[in-house]
Amino acid sequence: MRPPGFSNFFLLASSLLFAGLSAVPQSFSPSLRSWPGAACRLSRAESERRCRAPGQPPGAALCHGRGRCDCGVCICHVTEPGMFFGPLCECHEWVCETYDGSTCAGTCHCGRCKCDNSDGSGLVYGKFCECDDRECIDDETEEICGGHGKCYCGNCYCKPGWHGDKCEFQCDITPWESKRRCTSPDGKICSNRGTCVCGECSCHDVDPTGDWGDIHGDTCECDERDCRAAYDRYSDDFCSGHGQCNCGRCDCKAGWHGKKCEHPQSCMLSAEESIRRCQGSSDLPCSGRGKCECGQCTCYPPGDHRVYGKTCECDDRRCEDLDGVVCGGHGTCSCGRCVCERGWFGKLCQHPRKCNMTEEQSKNLCESADGILCSGKGSCHCGKCICSTEEWYISGEFCDCDDRDCDKHDGLICTGNGICSCGNCECWDGWNGNACEIWLGSEYP
């Protein structure tokens, strides 16, 4: 024998359970009825009240206009199967979209994420509540990014002069010096492809393996993606398979040309014969200063009248000092060699033949810090050191530098595209890299 009211209680519980489910078939109508087909035990006003959204006045749409009211229970329309959900048909979509393999980091309600900001800080936000700026709070100062930067989606972007995950470290160089070190040859900070941190560029590496980035270089000046006909981050098909990518520029193999080596070269010469004609008396095609195509050299940089010759054998840049003065202003340059005026001599015509100082005065000016005359590797003339010609690699104001310390490429110091200055390559305009091996000029053959 069931206790009185048990049947009514069971019907009420069943009705409330089905009210929270998804849209159901029109033929099924759970409600507050004693049995199927019986009259509703609620008044019409009460039934409609239960089918209206909270706070809505009498006469407002029932079930959000997306269903019908059956004895206080919304039966949602299913003209779009599975599209309207909720006890009052209030949700167009019930399940939230997924983000990074999981359904929102907050609470999913009607297909939208509600972020947990119970403290009113508003630090958790985003379509999936994926951004949590609480990660930017410095543990010691309890400030966002230590008070030295701005936070975006849980990551600190520091002001100049500061770095670290929470901008907690100050650089040991000035912001101006940091900016100068990070400035690329085209005048942009890290080539607009990286972040400058205390004078060093952290490039935006898009290589999924992490072994060798598509973007690299001291100032992120090299972008290997430019060598691909169609960029595919998982492909290594550089230069159409017919060349080598050098800092985002394709050096094509013999028989191919084009920005990405995509065009076959119509040349009657064999690759060997083409290179032989480009070498001439040099060990390298085009003297290492140009590009060989079908037996003819195109000298680098394009349009620079200082580099010329059938095999680019003449490089008048060699007549210039670090300040760009040709032959010290006391001679003329002929195919990369200075022809000095009367009364001057030296590789760059930098030494006068007449001297107006005593030998003692001259020697005092030629002594290095250790008191040795021209570091023991040269002779003194009129207060200046003339380094030994037998040791071609000795240079410097006191013959204290060894040009062999400069980086080489293709067997050439500074690749022939710069001046070795006491162990470091000073590259000519348009060239970059430790060995001046990278052409970054606006034109490229």
Side-chain angles (χ1 to χ4, degrees):
M1 188 74 179
R2 294 178 179 174
F6 179 85
S7 179
N8 292 340
F9 173 81
F10 179 79
L11 285 174
L12 176 61
S14 299
S15 299
L16 292 175
L17 175 63
F18 279 107
L21 297 177
S22 304
V24 297
Q26 296 274 354
S27 60
F28 186 79
S29 302
S31 58
L32 292 171
R33 303 177 190 274
S34 300
W35 60 83
C40 178
R41 296 191 305 115
L42 298 176
S43 67
R44 180 177 179 179
E46 178 61 17
S47 173
E48 291 183 352
R49 186 190 68 79
R50 295 189 181 193
C51 289
R52 279 193 300 270
Q56 292 295 311
L62 302 178
C63 304
H64 284 82
R66 296 170 178 159
R68 63 184 177 84
C69 184
D70 184 1
C71 198
V73 176
C74 283
I75 308 299
C76 302
H77 294 321
V78 290
T79 52
E80 296 180 76
M83 292 304 291
F84 298 112
F85 304 88
L88 298 176
C89 306
E90 71 272 23
C91 300
H92 186 261
E93 291 182 82
W94 184 257
V95 180
C96 287
E97 296 179 48
T98 58
Y99 170 78
D100 202 18
S102 59
T103 303
C104 89
T107 303
C108 185
H109 177 73
C110 283
R112 293 185 178 182
C113 281
K114 296 182 68 176
C115 304
D116 181 13
N117 283 301
S118 54
D119 56 358
S121 64
L123 294 176
V124 183
Y125 57 95
K127 181 178 180 181
F128 305 98
C129 302
E130 72 277 14
C131 296
D132 189 348
D133 285 358
R134 293 175 298 186
E135 298 290 333
C136 293
I137 298 177
D138 187 270
D139 295 333
E140 294 184 4
T141 64
E142 296 185 352
E143 291 185 88
I144 296 289
C145 301
H148 306 298
K150 292 184 178 181
C151 185
Y152 177 73
C153 205
N155 295 295
C156 282
Y157 292 83
C158 306
K159 295 178 180 178
W162 294 87
H163 66 106
D165 291 340
K166 297 177 181 177
C167 307
E168 68 271 34
F169 301 115
Q170 191 169 14
C171 299
D172 55 1
I173 58 176
T174 64
W176 180 88
E177 177 64 16
S178 175
K179 180 180 179 180
R180 187 191 69 80
R181 294 183 187 182
C182 289
T183 301
S184 55
D186 59 4
K188 299 174 182 175
I189 303 299
C190 298
S191 306
N192 285 349
R193 293 191 282 256
T195 304
C196 183
V197 179
C198 289
E200 294 185 3
C201 286
S202 176
C203 303
H204 299 154
D205 189 352
V206 295
D207 180 12
T209 66
D211 296 332
W212 180 251
D214 292 294
I215 300 173
H216 59 94
D218 291 340
T219 56
C220 307
E221 68 275 9
C222 301
D223 191 344
E224 306 296 339
R225 296 174 298 178
D226 294 338
C227 289
R228 295 172 176 153
Y231 179 62
D232 179 357
R233 65 184 299 186
Y234 294 98
S235 170
D236 287 327
D237 184 21
F238 293 109
C239 304
S240 307
H242 305 300
Q244 182 177 355
C245 188
N246 185 7
C247 193
R249 304 289 180 90
C250 285
D251 290 330
C252 303
K253 295 178 182 177
W256 294 89
H257 71 103
K259 187 176 180 181
K260 296 177 181 175
C261 307
E262 68 273 29
H263 302 300
Q265 185 85 43
S266 55
C267 180
M268 301 300 292
L269 301 177
S270 65
E272 293 77 11
E273 177 63 17
S274 175
I275 291 176
R276 188 189 67 78
R277 292 190 183 188
C278 287
Q279 275 185 304
S281 59
S282 174
D283 294 331
L284 295 171
C286 304
S287 306
R289 304 186 189 104
K291 187 173 185 178
C292 180
E293 291 180 329
C294 200
Q296 293 187 334
C297 287
T298 301
C299 302
Y300 294 162
D304 192 335
H305 65 278
R306 295 174 298 175
V307 184
Y308 56 96
K310 185 177 180 180
T311 58
C312 306
E313 69 275 15
C314 296
D315 188 350
D316 287 355
R317 296 173 300 181
R318 293 184 174 278
C319 294
E320 299 176 3
D321 59 19
L322 291 174
D323 295 324
V325 179
V326 177
C327 299
H330 306 296
T332 57
C333 187
S334 175
C335 197
R337 293 178 180 271
C338 284
V339 180
C340 301
E341 297 173 354
R342 181 177 295 181
W344 294 87
F345 72 101
K347 184 179 179 182
L348 297 176
C349 304
Q350 72 270 40
H351 301 298
R353 292 193 180 277
K354 289 185 178 182
C355 185
N356 295 323
M357 62 178 67
T358 65
E359 185 176 350
E360 188 65 26
Q361 290 174 328
S362 176
K363 287 184 177 180
N364 287 338
L365 293 175
C366 288
E367 287 184 357
S368 53
D370 54 9
I372 300 176
L373 195 71
C374 298
S375 304
K377 299 174 183 177
S379 58
C380 183
H381 174 75
C382 205
K384 292 186 178 181
C385 288
I386 302 175
C387 302
S388 172
T389 55
E390 295 180 2
E391 298 175 293
W392 60 267
Y393 45 84
I394 298 301
S395 64
E397 184 180 359
F398 299 104
C399 302
D400 51 347
C401 299
D402 190 336
D403 285 356
R404 293 174 298 182
D405 293 337
C406 278
D407 290 307
K408 294 182 180 180
H409 184 71
D410 287 337
L412 292 175
I413 290 177
C414 303
T415 325
N417 300 317
I419 299 175
C420 182
S421 177
C422 215
N424 293 302
C425 288
E426 297 285 345
C427 303
W428 286 313
D429 289 343
W431 293 93
N432 198 11
N434 292 334
C436 305
E437 76 279 17
I438 301 170
W439 169 246
L440 292 178
S442 58
E443 299 178 32
Y444 196 72

